[in-house]
């Protein structure tokens, strides 16, 4: 299963930025994006699931503390 890197902005605006086979590559890419986009609204997230649609579903869910 692939690792996806997403930019998640307010109001559940989700943009897929990249897809990787290994976590290390996805994590490195996400960290570099976070460093260059420190002032941009939203968050850079790395997700792991069967497909892109499942990833977006997981990102839109409200998690309880």
């Amino acid at each position: 299963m692939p690792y996806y890197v997403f930019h998640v902005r307010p109001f559940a605006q989700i943009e897929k930025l990249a897809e990787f086979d290994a976590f290390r590559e996805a994590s490195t890419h996400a960290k570099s994006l976070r460093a260059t986009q420190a002032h941009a609204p939203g968050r850079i997230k790395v997700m792991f699931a069967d497909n892109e649609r499942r990833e977006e579903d997981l990102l839109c869910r409200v998690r309880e503390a």
Side-chain angles (χ1 to χ4, degrees):
M1 287 191 281
Y3 291 88
Y4 297 96
V5 178
F6 285 98
H7 184 201
V8 182
R9 284 175 257 154
F11 304 107
Q13 295 177 11
I14 301 170
E15 176 186 4
K16 177 183 162 192
L17 301 175
E19 180 178 331
F20 296 94
D21 292 327
F23 175 76
R24 181 175 294 216
E25 297 167 351
S27 177
T28 302
H29 185 69
K31 287 176 184 175
S32 69
L33 288 173
R34 288 179 189 128
T36 60
Q37 297 180 356
H39 64 281
R43 304 182 88 180
I44 303 295
K45 302 280 247 168
V46 175
M47 299 292 292
F48 176 73
D50 325 6
N51 57 49
E52 187 177 341
R53 192 171 285 241
R54 175 82 170 126
E55 298 287 340
E56 291 177 1
D57 179 49
L58 291 172
L59 286 170
C60 289
R61 290 187 184 175
V62 176
R63 293 175 30 185
E64 294 183 25

